Amino acid sequence: METSWFIETLRREGDLLADAAQKAGLDAPVPPCPQWQVRDLLRHTGAVHRWATVFVAEARKDGADWDESAPGDGELADWYRALLTRLADVLAAAPADLDCWYFFAAPSPLVFWSRRQAHEATIHRVDAQTALGAGLSPIDPAFAADGVHELLAGFHGRARSTVRTPEPRTLRVRALDTDADWLVRLSPEPPVVERGAPGPADCTLSGSAAQLYLTLWNRAPYEELSVAGDDALVELWRRTGAIT
């Protein structure tokens, strides 16, 4: 997928997030994040965008301080919009051969940050719209499938993933409205993910790409998905697969 597509998605989803947050009100609870009100959602997502911008704008190869500072309630929505615009503009202006730090495998640092921040904005847009209670804007199936891949192969490909099984097991994740299909090999080591791998699996978890995306990010119930085989593997993922 083109970097420009991720940047356009970031702009759109971030705008939807800010719109929903303003309509919901800063005191509104955020059901997917029980400890948060909408103000916390804006502060968090703005801080993430600001943090990401540092690596891209400065081509930074080492760490950047995490800055949680934010203005008061009256300026919070405009502050978030400004950080969103700054991030998207920096990504759009960055060279294709940008060399900076990033934290799991991707075709390039620029693709990584464009993609990661597009998904960051989308998931938290879902949070803001859930807080508003007015229904969710649709998620493009190809983008949702990309988000599933990022979660499975990116986040859970790292040593910190806690999804482990004592003996080797396999979980297939299948998006029914796209050709996307993943075989997740579980063991005492971090999961190994193969996209489009043939062969049987101990359990298959199926649904639309958007359903899988939201469920695996703990924004929708697992009961909306179809499970075939050993459902204990789905329960294992539900208990241990959350990204915090």
Side-chain angles (χ1 to χ4, degrees):
M1 293 178 179
E2 296 292 331
T3 302
S4 60
W5 187 67
F6 287 121
I7 298 171
E8 290 170 7
T9 302
L10 166 64
R11 291 187 193 273
R12 181 182 66 252
E13 294 292 327
D15 282 341
L16 288 171
L17 189 166
D19 288 346
Q22 287 183 293
K23 291 174 183 176
L26 298 179
D27 292 331
V30 182
C33 307
Q35 305 303 314
W36 280 3
Q37 294 176 313
V38 165
R39 65 171 51 83
D40 303 304
L41 179 64
L42 285 173
R43 288 169 177 164
H44 167 80
T45 314
V48 172
H49 289 343
R50 177 168 55 197
W51 180 72
T53 299
V54 170
F55 292 104
V56 179
E58 300 179 9
R60 183 172 293 199
K61 299 181 180 64
D62 55 4
D65 291 337
W66 178 253
D67 182 1
E68 294 185 347
S69 64
D73 286 358
E75 302 173 12
L76 198 56
D78 288 341
W79 171 83
Y80 171 74
R81 290 184 189 276
L83 289 173
L84 168 70
T85 298
R86 168 67 175 155
L87 170 62
D89 288 350
V90 164
L91 288 166
D97 61 353
L98 171 72
D99 184 14
C100 69
W101 179 83
Y102 58 111
F103 55 88
F104 54 70
S108 72
L110 182 58
V111 171
F112 172 87
W113 285 112
S114 302
R115 175 198 210 186
R116 175 83 290 281
Q117 292 305 294
H119 288 298
E120 181 80 15
T122 302
I123 289 297
H124 289 314
R125 178 269 288 176
V126 169
D127 292 336
Q129 291 183 334
T130 303
L132 179 59
L136 301 182
S137 301
I139 300 172
D140 177 80
F143 181 74
D146 179 79
V148 173
H149 183 79
E150 187 206 40
L151 178 64
L152 296 178
F155 280 100
H156 285 290
R158 300 184 297 169
R160 67 176 62 184
S161 174
T162 58
V163 184
R164 312 289 176 101
T165 53
E167 303 295 333
R169 306 298 303 279
T170 52
L171 171 67
R172 186 174 297 283
V173 178
R174 178 171 291 153
L176 299 176
D177 55 344
T178 75
D179 61 358
D181 178 285
W182 301 265
L183 186 67
V184 184
R185 299 188 183 278
L186 303 172
S187 74
E189 301 299 319
V192 174
V193 177
E194 300 176 59
R195 189 161 184 170
D202 295 308
C203 179
T204 298
L205 186 65
S206 304
S208 71
Q211 285 177 314
L212 290 167
Y213 180 59
L214 293 177
T215 299
L216 292 173
W217 273 106
N218 301 305
R219 265 64 182 186
Y222 277 80
E223 288 73 19
E224 294 181 0
L225 301 177
S226 174
V227 179
D230 184 1
D231 59 5
L233 292 179
V234 176
E235 179 58 28
L236 171 73
W237 197 278
R238 188 205 303 253
R239 287 188 292 102
T240 65
I243 302 298
T244 59

